[in-house]
Amino acid sequence: MTTASAPGKVYLFGEHAVVYGEPAVPCAIERRARVTVDQRGTGLRIHADDLSISGFTVEYEGDPEGRPDVDVAESLVEAAMGYVTGAIEQARDAAGAPDAGFEVRIESDIPLGAGLGSSAAVVVAAIDAATRELGVSLPHEEIADRAYRVEYDVQDGQASRADTFCATMGGGVRVEGEDCRRIETPALPFVIGYDGGSGDTGELVAGVRKLKDDYGFAADTVGAIGDLVREGEDLLERDTDEALAELGRLMDVNHGLLSALGVSSRTLDAMTWAARDAGAIGAKLTGAGGGGCIVALDPTDATETALEHTPECEAAFRAELAGEGLRRETPGAGA
């Protein structure tokens, strides 16, 4: 039995634009997905628990064409199973064991499809746990690359390296095309609001692509998000109240640009304004959008309290920066 975990993430800036080669700055947060793998004779059995706030369980053996009966959007369940089976295929390839059988159990406190990087965390942890169960320990850089390939396939070629690199490396990271690196970030006071829903990442990314192809202003908006990220990078190097205030202002602008691209929602907007009205330094949606989560900056309890009393918000919580990404919870067979 081998276990690994990886953190979720929030985007300070740059989601959607990062798909087109613009920079983005995601930050890992201490909400984790844990994957435990046991080698078995043949086939694949997957148990997935608590992939949403309310929790549900998915189990199938062998043929992934069998669809579980759960009260979650079918597209999300299909994608979740696609991520897991893709991760296992990457592990088999890395270990040179194409016929290896596995029992996989996933436990997660990251809501599924909510913009907090649940899929990336699961894929990263699953690749590491499965390869180590087969006696092979991969460097973090290779795990991040293989995890990106899984997301790229599941999302029909519309993924970036941001989520999987952040889940693997932890901390704050900067991603621009193939250039991925960790950056220094202050201890930002993250507050998360969750509307209980989720967005279809592939559908939302495709919608932005169509808008960008059809209208020049949408392409300009994507470029403006990239320019905003570059401004924000400089602020992260200055751990001052003035820099934090400007960082929050840029988050507000970033939300407006994402709204212009059609990826916000009534609930995300309501939570964003509730946070701002409560005195948050800045607030924006995080991730693909369409529903899910917002991230706000507030060192006080005011934003969390306001979100708890906002009808559109199902859950609100504070999140700390996760300095550690991939965590090897138990030794593998080769240890």
Side-chain angles (χ1 to χ4, degrees), residues 138-335:
L138 300 178
H140 279 40
E141 292 77 11
E142 182 175 350
I143 290 172
D145 182 64
R146 286 181 176 275
Y148 162 68
R149 290 185 232 167
V150 174
E151 291 221 316
Y152 186 89
D153 288 343
V154 175
Q155 295 176 25
D156 296 323
Q158 300 185 108
S160 79
R161 293 183 179 272
D163 286 19
T164 45
F165 186 80
C166 188
T168 307
M169 302 301 177
V173 304
R174 183 191 190 276
V175 175
E176 185 172 5
E178 299 292 309
D179 179 25
C180 306
R181 54 187 169 85
R182 279 194 61 153
I183 59 174
E184 292 298 321
T185 57
L188 296 169
F190 294 128
V191 179
I192 311 296
Y194 175 47
D195 66 8
S198 57
D200 185 318
T201 298
E203 183 178 305
L204 289 157
V205 172
V208 172
R209 185 178 296 278
K210 186 176 188 312
L211 197 67
K212 180 176 174 291
D213 290 343
D214 289 348
Y215 299 104
F217 75 82
D220 292 341
T221 301
V222 169
I225 293 175
D227 292 339
L228 182 150
V229 175
R230 295 179 185 94
E231 290 284 339
E233 285 181 84
D234 294 335
L235 295 170
L236 287 171
E237 298 175 359
R238 308 199 315 261
D239 189 7
T240 65
D241 290 342
E242 293 80 8
L244 191 62
E246 186 64 18
L247 203 66
R249 184 182 179 193
L250 291 180
M251 290 174 67
D252 292 344
V253 173
N254 197 168
H255 181 82
L257 294 172
L258 290 167
S259 294
L261 292 174
V263 298
S264 190
S265 68
R266 187 182 300 247
T267 55
L268 294 175
D269 286 343
M271 291 190 295
T272 296
W273 279 106
R276 292 177 189 171
D277 289 345
I281 298 167
K284 60 181 283 294
L285 68 85
T286 178
C293 290
I294 68 153
V295 58
L297 298 182
D298 190 349
T300 76
D301 294 332
T303 292
E304 187 175 359
T305 300
L307 287 171
E308 288 171 347
H309 291 86
T310 300
E312 293 82 358
C313 183
E314 181 172 306
F317 54 90
R318 188 167 292 281
E320 296 182 1
L321 183 72
E324 183 182 12
L326 172 64
R327 180 183 297 158
R328 288 165 173 164
E329 309 278 3
T330 63

Side-chain angles (χ1 to χ4, degrees), residues 37 44 83-93 100 102 104 126-127 130:
V37 175
L44 177 63
Y83 289 124
V84 178
T85 55
I88 293 301
E89 286 304 311
Q90 286 291 333
R92 287 168 171 159
D93 177 72
F102 293 102
V104 179
I127 291 174

